[in-house]
Amino acid sequence: MSRFLTLIPYLAAQKILKTSVRPGHQIRTVPVTKSHGHICHEPVFSRLTIPNSAVSLRDGYAVIASESHSATEANPVHLKTFVPVHTGSPIPDGFDAVIMQEDVRLNDSDSIAILKPARPGQHIQKAGSEVGTGTMVLPAGHLISPEDIGAMIGYGITSVQVQKTVAGLIPTGDELKEPCTAPGPGEVIASNCEMLAASLETIGVESLIYPIVPDDPVKIQNAIEQAVRECSFVIISGGSSTGNRDHTENVLNEIGSLLYHGVAMRPGRTTLAGVVDEIPIFGVPGTPAGALAVLRELIIPWLSDTGYPVPIQNMVEVTLADTVPSELGTDDFILMVTGKVGDEYKAMMLPRGGGQMSAVKSNAVLHIARNSEGIKQGKECVIRLTQTFPHPDNIYLLSGLYDPILDILDQYLRKMQRKIFVRKGSYETTLLSIQNGNIHGGIIIRERTDGENWKKQDYSFLKEKAYAITIAEREYILATKGFPDFKSDKIFKYPDISQDSFLYHLMDAYFQKNQVNPQRILKQDHISNTEHEIIQKILEEEIDFGPCSSNLASEFELEGPVIGCESIDLIVREEDIESDQIQYMIHLLGSDEWNKEAWILPGYNLKRSGRVSLLQS
Amino acid sequence: MSRFLTLIPYLAAQKILKTSVRPGHQIRTVPVTKSHGHICHEPVFSRLTIPNSAVSLRDGYAVIASESHSATEANPVHLKTFVPVHTGSPIPDGFDAVIMQEDVRLNDSDSIAILKPARPGQHIQKAGSEVGTGTMVLPAGHLISPEDIGAMIGYGITSVQVQKTVAGLIPTGDELKEPCTAPGPGEVIASNCEMLAASLETIGVESLIYPIVPDDPVKIQNAIEQAVRECSFVIISGGSSTGNRDHTENVLNEIGSLLYHGVAMRPGRTTLAGVVDEIPIFGVPGTPAGALAVLRELIIPWLSDTGYPVPIQNMVEVTLADTVPSELGTDDFILMVTGKVGDEYKAMMLPRGGGQMSAVKSNAVLHIARNSEGIKQGKECVIRLTQTFPHPDNIYLLSGLYDPILDILDQYLRKMQRKIFVRKGSYETTLLSIQNGNIHGGIIIRERTDGENWKKQDYSFLKEKAYAITIAEREYILATKGFPDFKSDKIFKYPDISQDSFLYHLMDAYFQKNQVNPQRILKQDHISNTEHEIIQKILEEEIDFGPCSSNLASEFELEGPVIGCESIDLIVREEDIESDQIQYMIHLLGSDEWNKEAWILPGYNLKRSGRVSLLQS
């Protein structure tokens, strides 16, 4: 085994696959009702003549056309030879036209008055005019649609031979644990194959997921040999890099042939492909991002190239909200989120190392070809949509600090088929992103120590006027197991917190406001850096109280007086504040429904939600 | 019941639905692996911290960064404190950086040489950096994607509560027969509900199809009452017009309320909607075209309007190859086929009365709003794709005469992910369509009575030069149960065929060429108009032989000498002959593969297939 991979270009890998291997098929007979999305293996012929007799196309009366030709509104013709018919009724022998109910006056049970002449054949569908017995309804190779199912059933066809493409998915790796087990350090729950199976299902490919195979060449070989007997193609997850434990390449060389190992693409660099018994074998990285990229960018395009019906992909022209660097010589596939900001689609990049959460949050992929070193912020390019719901028109692109209320806001927006995407960013990054105008706005948390006034913050990165829209306020309390009775004889211990911090300021302001006697309180020896540490010490009774967010306190069933709050604000440039999207958000945040929705997260105050104020230092 | 429907505008119906009714939900717990395409009923939180310890991001060695800081290529640092790690391995306690395998020289088993310093944290992913226990992974209302399934499994989640939308489908009508039965005159096999179910399945809506209900108000009421208990919404197929047998409106007024009955749309005019026990009820016409139109244009948009995730629809700008008339005051939905002719998408209209075959053949819908009287040939408009495979870029639009070889050509093209659509048209219509340049070409059948020369035809409709590309030639034989031995004493009976006809000319030419003694043959009394009639008479031994296509003769196991042929030709304008699409077709028709493919249809000669000749009168 070579220690380093010799990478072939991405397009070369695509070409090798397209020209050297094809998926196998399984031929199955399925009931017509279960045939949707399948491909006909043989042509399908009508078993019936439709309609099987001349039928009426209207509710009305079957008549003899020649008896009606002098009829006018002024001089109706009165007919005694007629038969009432419904839409779809067979036309009785001897009759050759149908007059619609609306064009007839019923005189009595055995005579009708008609107001205009009927031409022969009028409103009658001839026998066999739709299809004859033996007419080809669907050719072999046809992808069966719902309309085809209706037609086949109507034409007397009850089952159909279809070609089925079945993927064999083999999870490999000593570190893998079955779902529903608790992974130890360095272990991970095997999820790649389930994800690949769900993804293949969207294009109608069935999957067989095999049991987890440890990093053992004999066991890998056995698994491949079983899968090639049962499947159209095989994907081995993990074991495709050149690590000591990566045996797939050797096994392929042993029992079949290797097409390539190593493609200059990112993620997915260590991918390999080969053939065993004419069945294509793919190796994909064990990382979910790498496995998905290889499926999306190599395996599915190969299926399409070899004739498998893959739906049309939705491409969107976007302006990049981020600079996306790329390595020369590598085809880069970057997960993105796109949304409509004003009249343009913009796209933000998801962190490459974000694991499965990046894939969960993204709705598009940007492909940067090997001859590019990347694309600068503000440039236009075309990206491929991978999720179409919610529609990009209804996605808010935000940057800023994370707060759990944003998850609740996102959830609330789903009811309106909208969503927010918040790219985590520092205070400074957020202000710069707002300034660039490529996102809807930024999330900033502003501290309010004395109930009303803001702590001063530096907004000088923002060159223009901007507004703050309050999403919610997070309340802070002086958390305790029981309310401290400062009038008792007891000496109360409180935490040592950095005097610069917001938490210290809150606590100090409370002591002063309530004129707590400094003799009765005692600072603890050890410094507490986080709210979690403060809570821990309260629970362990090392301290009697301490400041923390009421949200966190409630999780540990601690209570106490409110001592201040932080406002979680959406910051929007002046030129964007009147846009439909921002106005919609303001309206939403000010609504009673938002108030109700956010109540599920304790410790937030919503009385100022939806308020808009000019942002001032 | 009103005798005539009061039609409300299509947009009014859409608005009534959007504002008055919402689908119910069923809450179900499903395994994560089966959750794709479902909507979360509750938010999903991670049950694990990922990664659960600091892990290596590379294959290499865990080291202590501070020990490496003086390393250079010239003066490597030799370390004895290191641990080999793989991608994903936990970092042992006390180590704080990973050096990639590639950047290390192994001295011996207990020492490595490193060539550049490692910074603390290098190639290490911190515990919890992806998600923490309790992080919201998916909000309620989220549509679950394959990526989400991967993430949920990886985060220790095994099942998820989802909202399921279930449609109850009730077929009604005395004329309906269950699938797998033989319909009598005026009877049809119930196929609407199966088609609607397959169509709803494409957007993830489950269906319950109830047994066929006859046109009886009590039975219809019982069926509705059962369905509203079991489903999110109900569709009643048939029984929605004002015919005497159409009881749905009355039943709805009895046990619930009616929203509307009659919408100015075509097809689908007689549709109705109502509510029973807060469950929306839709009535759709019994005709498949009407039922599909109401599903596609009213019910699915309503699901989307009320928050159900319906995929983005593909719109295409096309030039109309046909004039599409429409009624003022009616929203018209016309089934179309679109394909790329040269650089532009063109679209042909499918016959409105074409039954289920029109739906099978179409790949798009044109919506003409109520304020329009239709759209002229050559005008541009936007249509909605309903099928995306084969891609419109790969669809040939043709007009002309039908021959079974065209079904085989269509089938052959499916292997290349292409197809042809041939709109049946007369000889004159076809020439006019070719002339207009809105289609790829026309199908014309040219007769060749004496083996080589064409029968004269009038091509004067075609103002420009055009070429004929031979698809195949259909052979004609003098069909007989046994080869006629004209030297025997027997008098042979032959059919009386119109002397103008191609069949007569073929037979007559054979008689002359073979110097058949007119004394030995006798014309039958009754005139035969069609090949089928001729065959029938041969089988019944009323005649001894007769001319017919060898294809048809072989179906009845008749044989005989070849007496002539017809050439099935694709006629293309001179300016189009060099286009990629036509050149591809010429190449294809001349290939051995086409020769092999077409052999399954007996009676065709392919030796001239793919030949191009100038079309001359």
Side-chain angles (χ1 to χ4, degrees), chain B residues 78 148 223 237 317 327 351 417 435 464 511 592:
Chain B
H78 298 272
D148 300 336
S237 169
E317 202 169 293
E327 219 174 288
Q417 298 108 64
Q435 176 63 37
E464 311 170 46
F511 289 165
D592 284 348

Side-chain angles (χ1 to χ4, degrees), chain A residues 179-183 189 357, chain B residues 29-30 32 43-52 128 130-138 151-161:
Chain A
C180 305
T181 55
I189 296 180
M357 274 317 267
Chain B
T29 301
V30 296
V32 165
V44 174
F45 300 100
S46 176
R47 299 180 63 171
L48 299 175
T49 295
I50 303 290
N52 58 8
E130 190 170 325
V131 285
T133 305
T135 300
M136 191 192 283
V137 180
L138 307 175
M152 284 193 280
I153 295 173
Y155 300 163
I157 299 148
T158 52
S159 65
V160 56
Q161 269 210 340

Side-chain angles (χ1 to χ4, degrees), chain B residues 433-447:
Chain B
S433 299
I434 299 168
Q435 176 63 37
N436 284 328
N438 285 322
I439 59 175
H440 289 91
I443 303 293
I444 277 181
I445 298 179
R446 297 197 294 164
E447 301 168 356

Side-chain angles (χ1 to χ4, degrees), chain B residues 272-458:
Chain B
L272 60 78
V275 194
V276 173
D277 292 345
E278 292 182 37
I279 294 295
I281 315 284
F282 298 91
V284 303
T287 59
L292 255 188
V294 173
L295 181 72
R296 202 193 324 104
E297 311 298 345
L298 279 174
I299 301 176
I300 291 180
W302 162 74
L303 282 169
S304 179
D305 283 340
T306 56
Y308 189 87
V310 173
I312 294 179
Q313 298 182 312
N314 295 293
M315 308 302 290
V316 189
E317 202 169 293
V318 298
T319 304
L320 290 185
D322 302 303
T323 292
V324 183
S326 179
E327 219 174 288
L328 261 187
T330 294
D331 277 74
D332 228 330
F333 300 95
I334 299 121
L335 297 180
M336 311 289 291
V337 185
T338 181
K340 201 173 189 176
V341 179
D343 296 327
E344 271 184 59
Y345 293 104
K346 309 278 184 170
M348 294 169 98
M349 180 185 173
L350 280 149
R352 292 183 197 261
Q356 296 185 278
M357 274 318 267
S358 286
V360 166
K361 297 283 185 193
S362 88
N363 70 348
V365 176
L366 168 62
H367 177 187
I368 301 183
R370 69 199 312 259
N371 58 358
S372 165
E373 285 188 83
I375 307 179
K376 289 241 167 72
Q377 187 190 66
K379 290 279 176 201
E380 288 185 5
C381 57
V382 172
I383 63 177
R384 192 183 338 131
L385 277 190
T386 52
Q387 303 289 338
T388 62
F389 190 83
H391 193 283
D393 286 5
N394 300 327
I395 296 179
Y396 290 89
L397 300 184
L398 307 175
S399 169
L401 297 168
Y402 171 76
D403 186 276
I405 195 75
L406 298 171
D407 286 339
I408 306 299
L409 178 59
D410 186 31
Q411 174 163 288
Y412 178 47
L413 285 165
R414 298 304 168 104
K415 293 188 185 172
M416 276 69 73
Q417 298 108 64
R418 292 171 188 246
K419 77 174 200 182
I420 54 169
F421 168 70
V422 189
R423 196 249 318 270
K424 288 176 195 169
S426 67
Y427 178 72
E428 289 77 14
T429 320
T430 300
L431 293 183
L432 273 175
S433 299
I434 299 168
Q435 176 63 37
N436 284 328
N438 285 322
I439 59 175
H440 289 91
I443 303 293
I444 277 181
I445 298 179
R446 297 197 294 164
E447 301 168 356
R448 210 193 281 270
T449 42
D450 62 355
E452 281 307 316
N453 296 312
W454 300 113
K455 194 186 148 206
K456 295 269 180 245
Q457 277 182 302
D458 176 13

Side-chain angles (χ1 to χ4, degrees), chain A residues 288-494:
Chain A
L292 255 189
V294 173
L295 181 72
R296 203 193 324 104
E297 311 299 345
L298 279 175
I299 302 176
I300 290 178
W302 161 75
L303 282 169
S304 179
D305 283 341
T306 55
Y308 188 88
V310 173
I312 294 179
Q313 298 183 310
N314 295 293
M315 308 302 289
V316 189
E317 201 169 292
V318 299
T319 304
L320 291 185
D322 302 304
T323 292
V324 183
S326 180
E327 220 174 287
L328 260 187
T330 295
D331 278 74
D332 227 329
F333 300 94
I334 299 120
L335 297 180
M336 311 290 290
V337 184
T338 181
K340 199 173 193 177
V341 180
D343 297 328
E344 273 184 56
Y345 293 104
K346 309 278 184 169
M348 295 169 96
M349 180 185 175
L350 279 148
R352 291 183 198 260
Q356 297 185 278
M357 274 317 267
S358 285
V360 166
K361 297 284 185 191
S362 88
N363 70 348
V365 175
L366 169 63
H367 177 188
I368 301 183
R370 69 199 312 259
N371 60 358
S372 165
E373 287 189 82
I375 307 179
K376 289 241 167 73
Q377 187 189 65
K379 289 278 176 201
E380 287 185 5
C381 57
V382 171
I383 63 177
R384 193 182 339 130
L385 276 191
T386 51
Q387 304 289 340
T388 62
F389 190 83
H391 193 285
D393 286 5
N394 300 328
I395 295 179
Y396 290 89
L397 300 183
L398 308 175
S399 169
L401 298 168
Y402 172 74
D403 186 277
I405 195 75
L406 298 171
D407 286 339
I408 305 299
L409 178 58
D410 185 30
Q411 173 162 288
Y412 178 48
L413 285 166
R414 299 303 169 106
K415 294 188 185 171
M416 275 71 71
Q417 297 108 64
R418 292 172 187 245
K419 78 174 198 182
I420 53 170
F421 168 71
V422 188
R423 197 248 319 270
K424 287 176 196 169
S426 68
Y427 178 72
E428 289 76 14
T429 320
T430 301
L431 292 184
L432 274 174
S433 299
I434 299 168
Q435 176 62 36
N436 285 328
N438 285 322
I439 58 175
H440 289 92
I443 303 293
I444 278 182
I445 298 178
R446 296 197 292 166
E447 301 167 357
R448 210 195 282 267
T449 42
D450 62 354
E452 281 306 317
N453 296 312
W454 299 113
K455 196 188 148 204
K456 295 267 179 240
Q457 277 182 302
D458 177 13
Y459 301 118
S460 58
F461 277 108
L462 271 179
K463 303 257 182 313
E464 310 170 48
K465 243 193 202 175
Y467 288 89
I469 304 159
T470 305
I471 296 172
E473 289 182 337
R474 183 165 55 186
E475 288 180 334
Y476 282 83
I477 61 169
L478 202 61
T480 164
K481 279 182 157 182
F483 197 82
D485 179 4
F486 294 117
K487 292 183 185 98
S488 78
D489 287 340
K490 205 185 151 190
I491 306 281
F492 295 98
K493 276 204 236 165
Y494 68 93

Side-chain angles (χ1 to χ4, degrees), chain A residues 434-435 437 464-467 572-579:
Chain A
I434 299 168
Q435 176 62 36
E464 310 170 48
K465 243 193 202 175
Y467 288 89
V572 171
R573 293 189 305 171
E574 185 180 32
E575 63 183 286
D576 299 330
I577 192 90
E578 291 299 330
S579 74

